[in-house]
């Protein structure tokens, strides 16, 4: 390790390589931008930090990662609030519309923004906002794929099972008798 001289004439060991640009102040600024709705890319651009550096801090700095997760949760609440605001705005535009074509254009723009926010929420929280797909498999016209059994078939099957169990019991008795 190399020694570095400090302002008070003491010497401190330092690791070789480029010094880390992370400080608590920079971390707080990133988290503030994220909580205000910015993406990682936007926050990195605004603060003039390479995006990969920001991602490395998330991996290597547990205190930053914890603050970032809180900020990311705040961003999700902000997005949910934005959806509510947009729905209220759409209702207001529809009620106050004097020019139908202008109102239709404005409502389309609101719908597009709502769809974009919903898409982001779907990607960020798939369990809560994702599309739930469920597949049901059935035969023609919704019929069951499993064949229906008649009472006689069920009785015959039960008798066959009882017969097999009886044969297994006899074989076990024979085995025990031979072992003695």
């Amino acid at each position: 390790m190399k020694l570095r001289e400090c302002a008070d004439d003491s010497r401190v060991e330092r690791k070789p390589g480029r010094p880390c640009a992370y400080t608590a102040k920079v971390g707080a600024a990133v988290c503030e931008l994220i909580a205000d709705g910015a993406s990682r890319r936007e926050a990195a651009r605004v603060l003039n930090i390479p995006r990969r550096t920001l991602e490395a801090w998330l991996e290597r700095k547990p205190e930053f990662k914890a603050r970032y997760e809180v900020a990311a949760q705040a961003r999700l609440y902000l997005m949910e609030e934005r959806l509510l605001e947009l729905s209220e705005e759409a209702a207001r535009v529809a009620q106050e519309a004097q020019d139908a074509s202008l109102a239709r254009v404005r409502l389309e723009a609101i719908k597009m923004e709502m769809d974009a926010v919903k898409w982001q929420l779907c990607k960020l929280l798939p369990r809560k906002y994702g599309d739930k797909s469920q597949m049901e498999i059935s035969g023609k016209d919704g019929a069951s794929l499993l064949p229906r059994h008649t009472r006689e078939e069920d009785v015959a099957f039960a008798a066959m099972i009882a017969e097999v169990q009886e044969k297994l019991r006899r074989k076990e008795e024979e085995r025990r008798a031979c072992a003695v």
Side-chain angles (χ1 to χ4, degrees), residues 18-70:
R18 188 174 178 183
C20 182
Y22 177 80
T23 64
K25 188 176 179 180
V26 173
V30 169
C31 291
E32 186 176 334
L33 287 168
I34 296 296
D36 287 341
S39 67
R40 281 187 200 174
R41 185 177 304 242
E42 288 174 295
R45 183 184 50 75
V46 167
L47 297 171
N48 200 23
I49 301 168
R51 184 179 49 86
R52 291 182 190 252
T53 299
L54 191 128
E55 290 170 2
W57 292 347
L58 286 169
E59 289 176 15
R60 297 183 189 132
K61 308 277 184 201
E63 70 281 356
F64 175 64
K65 183 176 183 175
R67 291 181 71 186
Y68 178 88
E69 288 172 355
V70 170

Side-chain angles (χ1 to χ4, degrees), residues 36-160:
D36 287 341
S39 67
R40 281 187 200 174
R41 185 177 304 242
E42 288 174 295
R45 183 184 50 75
V46 167
L47 297 171
N48 200 23
I49 301 168
R51 184 179 49 86
R52 291 182 190 252
T53 299
L54 191 128
E55 290 170 2
W57 292 347
L58 286 169
E59 289 176 15
R60 297 183 189 132
K61 308 277 184 201
E63 70 281 356
F64 175 64
K65 183 176 183 175
R67 291 181 71 186
Y68 178 88
E69 288 172 355
V70 170
Q73 190 67 37
R75 178 178 57 190
L76 294 174
Y77 291 132
L78 189 69
M79 293 170 86
E80 289 174 334
E81 288 177 4
R82 181 66 184 142
L83 276 178
L84 292 173
E85 289 170 2
L86 287 169
S87 65
E88 291 169 358
E89 184 180 348
R92 191 173 49 256
V93 166
Q95 285 179 347
E96 297 171 357
Q98 294 173 357
D99 183 5
S101 63
L102 186 61
R104 194 173 13 258
V105 169
R106 181 65 189 129
L107 288 172
E108 272 302 310
I110 292 171
K111 183 182 181 311
M112 285 177 59
E113 188 175 349
M114 287 178 79
D115 289 344
V117 172
K118 287 192 286 186
W119 180 85
Q120 288 175 331
L121 284 170
C122 176
K123 296 301 177 194
L124 294 170
L125 279 178
R127 285 190 178 185
K128 186 172 182 181
Y129 295 104
D131 295 332
K132 294 180 182 150
S133 60
Q134 184 176 357
M135 186 180 296
E136 185 176 318
I137 301 174
S138 60
K140 185 176 179 184
D141 298 326
S144 175
L145 290 175
L146 299 174
R148 297 205 182 261
H149 298 286
T150 63
R151 172 106 172 106
E152 293 81 26
E153 288 173 327
D154 289 342
V155 170
F157 183 70
M160 184 174 62

